[in-house]
Amino acid sequence: NAGVTQTPKFQVLKTGQSMTLQCAQDMNHNSMYWYRQDPGMGLRLIYYSASEGTTDKGEVPNGYNVSRLNKREFSLRLESAAPSQTSVYFCASSAQRGPDTQYFGPGTRLTVL
Amino acid sequence: AQSVTQLDSQVPVFEEAPVELRCNYSSSVSVYLFWYVQYPNQGLQLLLKYLSGSTLVKGINGFEAEFNKSQTSFHLRKPSVHISDTAEYFCAVGGNSGNTPLVFGKGTRLSVIA
């Protein structure tokens, strides 16, 4: 039981490049989330998927897209990376939508030059 | 809409001393409250949560928190800290209706000094 896994762990991009961050969970959870963490800003929700087949914007969705590929997988895509997207990205999942315990992945550290 | 305020961004404390990390929330509905811990270069782990019932909640690693509805607070406490408690701590709130995700505070960095 690996919980929530994220790939890659580290990534360096040049401005304008694109990439997809992958997230998978093996807990049969319905809901999945993408956050970014920046110093002094805490965790900010980018997008979430309350259940398979649905996605919703969070607090800071601009510049990102997501895909809930199936119940296990939820990917985050940066179409044209910008230096402001330099951050640590966390994926999380929860059994139910709403105020349920979230389980976090180890994070992806992204640097955009 | 819910919101969370963690009143201290950094808390230094000597080893074996008690510590309190403060969290206040705002919500128009009944709430669920959570504390998470993040050790360096790791993801967040659940410390404890309040859903209903007893207002004093005990979590892992000797931490506890008390839900105070009148003061809209959910402060985290530990009577004696260890070096290994050095980490960032996040308070989070969720409403008990709808599918709105948790709202996290900005975090409090606890530094335990030997």
Side-chain angles (χ1 to χ4, degrees):
Chain A
N1 190 339
V4 180
T5 57
Q6 293 183 236
T7 55
K9 285 195 169 184
F10 302 93
Q11 184 70 50
V12 178
L13 293 177
K14 295 181 179 178
T15 297
Q17 288 185 317
S18 62
M19 79 160 295
T20 300
L21 281 64
Q22 306 287 352
C23 173
Q25 52 90 9
D26 62 2
M27 296 174 282
N28 200 34
H29 284 173
N30 289 305
S31 301
M32 298 185 73
Y33 312 84
W34 276 105
Y35 294 91
R36 60 177 290 173
Q37 183 179 27
D38 304 289
M41 303 295 290
L43 284 172
R44 291 184 292 171
L45 183 64
I46 304 172
Y47 271 94
Y48 66 101
S49 171
S51 60
E52 187 178 357
T54 69
T55 60
D56 286 284
K57 294 179 180 179
E59 182 185 353
V60 289
N62 291 344
Y64 305 96
N65 286 300
V66 290
S67 295
R68 184 75 183 266
L69 304 169
N70 47 55
K71 192 172 185 178
R72 289 187 62 247
E73 299 172 288
F74 189 40
S75 63
L76 178 72
R77 183 160 178 83
L78 286 70
E79 290 291 351
S80 179
S84 61
Q85 294 178 305
T86 293
S87 187
V88 181
Y89 291 85
F90 288 100
C91 179
S93 70
S94 63
Q96 302 298 331
R97 63 180 67 185
D100 194 11
T101 301
Q102 293 185 15
Y103 296 83
F104 285 79
T108 294
R109 188 174 294 274
L110 175 67
T111 301
V112 183
L113 303 175
Chain B
Q2 293 98 36
S3 67
V4 174
T5 302
Q6 292 185 241
L7 296 159
D8 306 295
S9 60
Q10 297 186 62
V11 174
V13 63
F14 285 105
E15 193 173 18
E16 297 183 9
V19 70
E20 177 179 85
L21 306 183
R22 297 181 292 169
C23 172
N24 285 90
Y25 68 91
S26 172
S27 176
S28 58
V29 298
S30 298
V31 294
Y32 297 160
L33 292 156
F34 302 76
W35 275 100
Y36 283 82
V37 60
Q38 183 182 31
Y39 299 106
N41 299 313
Q42 294 187 25
L44 279 69
Q45 303 172 35
L46 181 69
L47 261 183
L48 50 79
K49 61 184 176 183
Y50 171 79
L51 303 181
S52 63
S54 173
T55 57
L56 183 63
V57 181
K58 294 190 183 297
I60 62 171
N61 301 339
F63 283 92
E64 62 181 33
E66 186 157 18
F67 171 58
N68 188 319
K69 188 174 182 179
S70 63
Q71 297 189 7
T72 61
S73 68
F74 191 56
H75 300 334
L76 181 71
R77 302 184 181 99
K78 186 170 183 178
S80 176
V81 296
H82 302 290
I83 294 289
S84 58
D85 293 322
T86 294
E88 189 143 21
Y89 293 79
F90 292 92
C91 182
V93 64
N96 66 353
S97 61
N99 64 354
T100 307
L102 298 182
V103 174
F104 285 82
K106 294 188 187 305
T108 298
R109 183 168 298 279
L110 174 65
S111 298
V112 181
I113 305 160

